[in-house]
């Protein structure tokens, strides 16, 4: 793998860490001589295994190390809203989404109500053994806690070898005050920033039978995509996270005006 700037990037990252070449060699398993050759520009064709070892040791991405455009566009998270008005509509997307994940050896998690979990288990049959289930009330106790649980879950599964992680995560809206609803809509938008680099697809169901139409509309603003079966389409009303968060900060009455579901 070649890059005209890998030597400069490696030298700069090592300097920021305060490490000598010997220390980087000890931490990465790449020889001191190889590191010296890379940094000096004498070696430009570097094996992927060496790049990965150096990047891991320096806590940076391979893209950053070799200077590709992906270093400044780290978005990997696929965040989808799933408005549904019946059990059949819920299953028509959730089941193909999970089934495709099983076929691709992805790691699967369903964070839903007990009722929705039973629907999924009954429809998936024996395939439900490939899905981990969690109760939405416990998972969505607080925005900070929910975000951290998601981050830890995805990182853990990825480190254990999962190529990708798929999550069906249905936030809890019932019983929330208007102020709490505002906080949770901002949480949904914030995920697009805080979890942007995670190798995961998150589908967030919204039950249109019980939720205010305004809240379902906001889901389209906080999710880049709308789930359709195992696939998705762009959300026409999506707002970039910074825009949505700044707008709701300057006009706090907009989401807060929602009546309690």
């Amino acid at each position: 793998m070649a890059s005209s700037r890998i030597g400069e990037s490696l030298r700069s990252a090592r300097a920021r860490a305060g490490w000598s070449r010997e220390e980087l060699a000890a931490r990465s398993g790449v020889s001191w001589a190889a590191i010296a050759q890379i940094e000096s520009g004498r070696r430009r064709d570097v094996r992927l295994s060496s790049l990965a070892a150096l990047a891991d040791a320096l806590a940076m991405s391979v893209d950053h190390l070799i200077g590709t455009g992906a270093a400044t566009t780290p978005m990997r998270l696929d965040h989808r809203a799933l408005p549904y008005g019946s059990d059949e509509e819920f299953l028509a997307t959730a089941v193909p989404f999970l089934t495709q994940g099983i076929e691709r050896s992805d790691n699967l998690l369903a964070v839903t109500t007990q009722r929705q979990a039973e629907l999924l288990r009954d429809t998936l049959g024996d395939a439900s053994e490939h899905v981990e289930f969690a109760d939405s009330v416990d998972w969505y106790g607080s925005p900070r806690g929910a975000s951290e649980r998601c981050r830890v879950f995805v990182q853990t599964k990825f480190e254990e070898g999962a190529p990708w992680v798929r999550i069906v995560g249905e936030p809890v809206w019932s019983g929330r005050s208007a102020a709490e609803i505002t906080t949770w809509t901002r949480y949904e938008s914030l995920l697009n920033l805080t979890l942007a680099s995670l190798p995961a697809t998150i589908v967030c169901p919204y039950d249109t039978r019980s939720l205010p139409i305004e809240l379902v509309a906001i889901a389209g603003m906080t999710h880049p995509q709308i789930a359709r079966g195992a696939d998705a389409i762009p959300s026409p009303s999506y707002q970039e996270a910074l825009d949505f968060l700044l707008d709701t900060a300057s006009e706090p009455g907009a989401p807060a005006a929602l009546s309690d579901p």
Side-chain angles (χ1 to χ4, degrees):
M1 180 174 294
S3 172
S4 60
R5 59 181 292 180
I6 183 173
E8 180 182 346
S9 297
L10 181 61
R11 184 169 56 252
S12 176
R14 179 175 60 78
R16 288 196 303 273
W19 297 345
S20 65
R21 287 172 177 167
E22 290 83 357
E23 185 166 1
L24 178 55
R27 290 174 178 266
S28 67
V30 178
S31 71
W32 177 92
I35 292 172
Q37 289 178 345
I38 295 170
E39 289 188 351
S40 68
R42 295 195 303 274
R43 178 184 295 186
R44 296 197 176 185
D45 292 321
V46 186
R47 289 181 299 181
L48 182 57
S49 58
S50 296
L51 285 173
L54 290 167
D56 283 346
L58 291 163
M60 63 192 304
S61 70
V62 170
D63 291 313
H64 190 176
L65 186 58
I66 64 179
T68 68
T72 56
T73 54
M75 181 69 176
R76 285 196 288 177
L77 177 70
D78 189 353
H79 193 200
R80 308 173 181 178
L82 168 55
Y84 68 94
S86 67
D87 293 344
E88 290 74 20
E89 287 184 5
F90 171 77
L91 293 171
T93 287
V95 170
F97 172 71
L98 294 172
T99 300
Q100 186 182 75
I102 295 171
E103 294 170 350
R104 297 181 178 180
S105 299
D106 295 342
N107 194 274
L108 309 176
L109 171 67
V111 184
T112 64
T113 64
Q114 292 185 2
R115 181 177 183 280
Q116 299 302 79
E118 287 305 313
L119 283 174
L120 288 173
R121 287 192 176 97
D122 289 345
T123 306
L124 288 168
D126 293 341
S128 65
E129 296 177 359
H130 297 279
V131 183
E132 294 186 48
F133 288 88
D135 188 89
S136 55
V137 173
D138 295 333
W139 188 277
Y140 292 103
S142 71
R144 187 185 300 274
S147 179
E148 181 64 8
R149 288 186 189 93
C150 186
R151 183 188 65 79
V152 170
F153 182 87
V154 175
Q155 288 186 342
T156 299
K157 298 305 179 182
F158 186 71
E159 290 168 1
E160 291 175 351
W164 198 261
V165 177
R166 294 178 180 232
I167 299 174
V168 175
E170 187 160 16
V172 176
W173 300 103
S174 177
R176 304 283 195 198
S177 67
E180 288 172 326
I181 290 174
T182 299
T183 298
W184 280 99
T185 59
R186 289 170 63 84
Y187 155 85
E188 286 276 49
S189 182
L190 193 59
L191 288 185
N192 298 311
L193 295 177
T194 58
L195 305 184
S197 63
L198 293 186
T201 301
I202 303 176
V203 171
C204 301
Y206 282 73
D207 191 342
T208 61
R209 296 170 295 186
S210 58
L211 299 179
I213 189 172
E214 298 89 349
L215 181 55
V216 177
I218 290 175
M221 299 164 62
T222 58
H223 295 73
Q225 296 183 314
I226 304 298
R228 291 288 185 272
D231 301 313
I233 61 173
S235 172
S237 59
Y238 174 66
Q239 292 186 12
E240 293 293 338
L242 283 178
D243 293 334
F244 180 85
L245 293 169
L246 289 173
D247 286 347
T248 56
S250 61
E251 300 179 14
L258 296 171
S259 57
D260 298 349

